[in-house]
Amino acid sequence: MEAELRPQEEQSPAPVVGLSLCDSAPLLWRLQDLKAMRSDGLVGALLGSLPRTPRQNVRLGRPLLLLPEEERLLGERRGAAALPAQNQQEAAGGELQQRYAEEQQRSYEEQSVFALEDRKSALVRAMTSSGSDPGSDEALQRRLLDLEQNFSFPRSALAVQLSTARAGLSHCPEARAFLEADWPIRAQRSPRGEARFQVFRDLRGRGFFLTSAGKFGGDFLVYPGDPLRFHAHFIAVCLALDESVCLLDVLCVARLGSNVKKTVLLCSPAPDGSVRYTSLQWSGMV
């Protein structure tokens, strides 16, 4: 049966968004660019660690990685352009670098306290393991006091997550010149990529939010609203209008969609520019 999709009015042109490239992966660093992208209903995926909690990957921060379809649609709507090397360094630095340095200093002070406590605990265990001797308590207190007064935590022992600059996300002029060679290659359009982009643009134009659906065996997860507030309702699978599909593959994707409580959408761009949608739902076998 045909899936019902909600229309949405076209948005007016907006200021240019600055893109940064890392090995041809489009990234957004500047806060105003992230806000502009979010206002267009594009989601992306955050990659950067948070200065206050660098050793976790549940809540992440800038930069924001774009899907190829998001990058292209952003270019059509806002005229996305690659940032010059100097602007990229400013986007990745400035206030963010200052905040990172402050958090690193705070982390150093906290780890210094923990390291001192560990040294004290080790000293107490070492002096009490052989039994208590007369005057051992006084000797232990003197050793602990000497340790506290003379202890110095080396910065080389500071446990930190590698910064984005050391991870290869810096944008020096040499790297910028090398990455510029990727633009002609990135501009090439494949039939598969064109079909995905037409589906992405049409669904976004109807008011839906889209993210990658690789772990669900599809092309896009389709949300009725902001993914922070809603679960995905559809798994979009992009197919050519005249493409033949194995029946077992249809059964597999329909069964998968049923298990995760989502409807599978077969999305096929038509020659006239429209996109035809067919929904699949698992209803059992007779």
Side-chain angles (χ1 to χ4, degrees):
M1 64 178 180
E2 297 296 326
E4 296 182 0
L5 301 174
R6 297 180 286 105
Q8 186 184 44
E9 296 180 358
E10 293 292 333
Q11 299 181 0
S12 58
V16 174
V17 171
L19 285 175
S20 300
L21 292 180
C22 176
D23 294 335
S24 74
L27 302 175
L28 292 183
W29 288 92
R30 300 184 306 190
L31 183 59
Q32 61 267 31
D33 293 338
L34 268 66
K35 290 182 177 179
M37 177 178 171
R38 195 68 177 183
S39 66
D40 281 351
L42 304 179
V43 181
L46 291 169
L47 300 180
S49 63
L50 301 178
R52 293 183 64 87
T53 53
R55 291 180 291 277
Q56 54 85 37
N57 60 357
V58 178
R59 301 178 62 184
L60 301 177
R62 291 176 288 178
L64 185 78
L65 176 65
L66 306 183
L67 291 174
E69 294 77 21
E70 290 176 326
E71 177 193 6
R72 185 173 171 186
L73 186 61
L74 199 63
E76 289 185 357
R77 290 186 175 181
R78 294 182 175 267
L83 291 174
Q86 181 179 0
N87 290 349
Q88 290 177 5
Q89 293 173 356
E90 293 176 355
E95 181 183 355
L96 185 61
Q97 289 182 348
Q98 180 180 359
R99 191 181 309 172
Y100 176 78
E102 294 174 355
E103 295 298 335
Q104 191 175 32
Q105 177 62 27
R106 185 180 296 108
S107 177
Y108 171 77
E109 296 173 358
E110 293 176 354
Q111 293 183 44
S112 297
V113 174
F114 294 147
L116 178 58
E117 293 299 327
D118 289 342
R119 291 287 185 88
K120 288 182 178 181
S121 300
L123 179 59
V124 171
R125 288 195 301 268
M127 295 189 66
T128 58
S129 59
S130 59
S132 59
D133 298 329
S136 61
D137 291 342
E138 296 181 0
L140 177 60
Q141 294 300 324
R142 288 197 301 269
R143 294 286 298 275
L144 290 176
L145 182 60
D146 292 341
L147 177 62
E148 186 171 353
Q149 292 177 347
N150 301 320
F151 177 76
S152 176
F153 182 64
R155 283 192 172 272
S156 59
L158 180 65
V160 296
Q161 184 169 340
L162 294 178
S163 64
T164 53
R166 294 180 60 186
L169 296 181
S170 60
H171 298 280
C172 59
E174 293 79 7
R176 177 71 261 160
F178 173 77
L179 291 174
E180 283 178 350
D182 289 339
W183 278 100
I185 301 176
R186 290 157 52 80
Q188 295 178 1
R189 311 296 186 192
S190 63
R192 169 69 175 169
E194 283 294 320
R196 282 173 53 96
F197 176 70
Q198 290 183 40
V199 172
F200 185 93
R201 180 171 55 185
D202 186 76
L203 288 174
R204 181 59 212 132
R206 296 173 182 267
F208 291 94
F209 288 69
L210 293 91
T211 62
S212 176
K215 62 181 179 181
F216 291 96
D219 291 289
F220 305 111
L221 285 178
V222 185
Y223 298 79
D226 194 313
L228 296 177
R229 301 178 57 190
F230 297 89
H231 289 290
H233 286 189
F234 304 99
I235 301 175
V237 180
C238 302
L239 300 170
L241 198 58
D242 57 350
E243 181 177 351
S244 60
V245 183
C246 176
L247 180 59
L248 291 179
D249 292 339
V250 175
L251 294 176
C252 288
V253 71
R255 182 63 173 173
L256 185 147
S258 174
N259 288 343
V260 296
K261 299 181 180 179
K262 297 174 180 14
T263 300
V264 176
L265 279 183
L266 300 183
C267 313
S268 301
D272 59 359
S274 62
V275 180
R276 300 180 183 177
Y277 300 95
T278 304
S279 64
L280 300 178
Q281 290 183 325
W282 184 265
S283 59
M285 299 181 65
V286 179

